[in-house]
Amino acid sequence: MTRHAITIVGSGYVGLVTGACLAKLGHRVVCHDIDTKKISLLKRGSMPFFEPGLREIILQSVRQKRLTFESDPVTALRGSEVIFITVGTPSRKDGSVDISYVKSAAKSIAANLRGGEIIVSKSTVPIGASLLLRRSIQRTFSGHFSIVSNPEFLREGVALGAFLKADRIILGYEQQVTARVKKIMREIYAGIKAPIIETNNRTAELIKYAANVFLASHISFINSIARLCEEIGADVEVVSAALKADPRIGQRAFLSAGIGYGGLCFPKDIRALIRISQKLGYRFKFLDVVDQINKDQRKFFVQRIRMLVPKIKGKKVALLGLSFKPQTDDLRDAPSLDIIKSLLRAGAKLHVTDPVAINSTRRIFGSLLTYHRNPYDALRGAHVAAIITEWPQFTALKLEKMKKLLAEPNIVDGRNIYDPETMRHLGFRYIGIGRGYIREIFVKK
Ligand SMILES: NC(=O)c1ccc[n+]([C@@H]2O[C@H](COP(=O)([O-])OP(=O)(O)OC[C@H]3O[C@@H](n4cnc5c(N)ncnc54)[C@H](O)[C@@H]3O)[C@@H](O)[C@H]2O)c1
């Protein structure tokens, strides 16, 4: 295998996972970031966020001298053949993409180029950003360089597997691409057995948005079916399983009804594609609806809690799960944030728990919440328990014990982790999402 000298510019979730995995594949990698605290932390062997298995593969590559961390761009970029840009591309207030971090990364890269380097754009950027990147670099550097669009599809919580066993690798080239550039890009990924789809920059950039909005739209679709299920007494979990059994839909389809999607990518990328299309004169109405349904799910969840506890002011509410999905401590655009804010406004006393996201939540809400490491402590004396994240630890809770600890046996399950029949049999007042008539719960009481 041909090994290459690689610099990663931006050592966040994507940058660190990319750097660690490329080092594991045998390349010599420098992970660079302007955040000096993050780099010192990494040099000491600590991780800036939780991702299963990441620390182990980083430490192994560091020991084998294939991976280093560097905050100085001059040192980080010296001798690099391939430079990956993995900085953030957050949403602006109007939903459009803020590419200022990409521009500042381009500036520091341009100042350190020698000629012949390949600059790989891995951040999710608006269609046409590769050209902007080229122009921005050319303001400082007049030598030869290439730009490749290589969007990332990693999934937090299972990021290493998603990278090393990728379903596909997208490489988008400039019109003037040379055979050398294509050869090097293929060599970089030679250790990963995934189909490589080679195309132009713009198509590669669009693929990333298309993939994310497609997945998000399935979640809003099944949540709409869930609403119907509650009106007609059907079970969305059975509907979803039946849909997945159709090979045209597939077992891995994103058809889990619940409080909707969150995280860094789906909400931001949907809003970005709405804006990108708008600018081009096309109103992508479909995406407006997908986004609105998702926002509604969060409000709708709080309404359910308030159905069970109408006078919520001063009442204790246990929230199980804070991160936007299991196996991560990431809270960016997590449904929990809106739910917490809404319940605080209503005067509820919130007792929260999460296997790994307590510290990141404390940084946002401080003393407004009471934090518990042990979920049973959060449940003690609560008037209602609300499941926000489908952590396996919550599925494994002892239901009888849960019932004894709660002041009232009320559960709102935003991820359908429990079986409604079992819960009712045990004497809970249980509301899932799309699990038959809701009104029956109140009739039976
Ligand atoms: N997080 C995900 O699951 C995921 C998945 C696929 C794609 N993406 C995309 O990848 C990109 C990065 O996302 P992330 O979650 O890793 O972001 P992040 O915020 O975790 O990391 C970005 C890092 O870039 C650093 N940075 C900013 N400007 C810099 C500069 N000029 N030079 C060096 N470092 C700089 C920041 O300090 C930060 O550490 C985004 O475009 C995102 O949409 C993210």
Side-chain angles (χ1 to χ4, degrees), residues 8-16 32-35 38 49 85-90 100-106 108 122-125 151-156 208 212 264-265 268-269 324-325 330 332:
I8 307 283
V9 177
S11 301
Y13 281 84
V14 170
L16 271 184
H32 161 64
D33 205 288
I34 42 168
D35 183 342
K38 195 178 265 186
F49 53 84
I85 299 183
T86 50
V87 298
T89 47
S100 58
Y101 297 106
V102 176
K103 284 185 178 164
S104 72
S108 75
K122 221 178 211 325
S123 298
T124 305
V125 287
E152 180 51 51
F153 298 94
L154 71 76
R155 302 189 296 279
E156 287 176 24
K208 174 65 196 174
N212 273 359
L264 173 76
C265 295
K268 157 175 98 66
D269 293 350
F324 81 95
K325 66 173 179 177
D330 198 347
R332 294 178 290 185

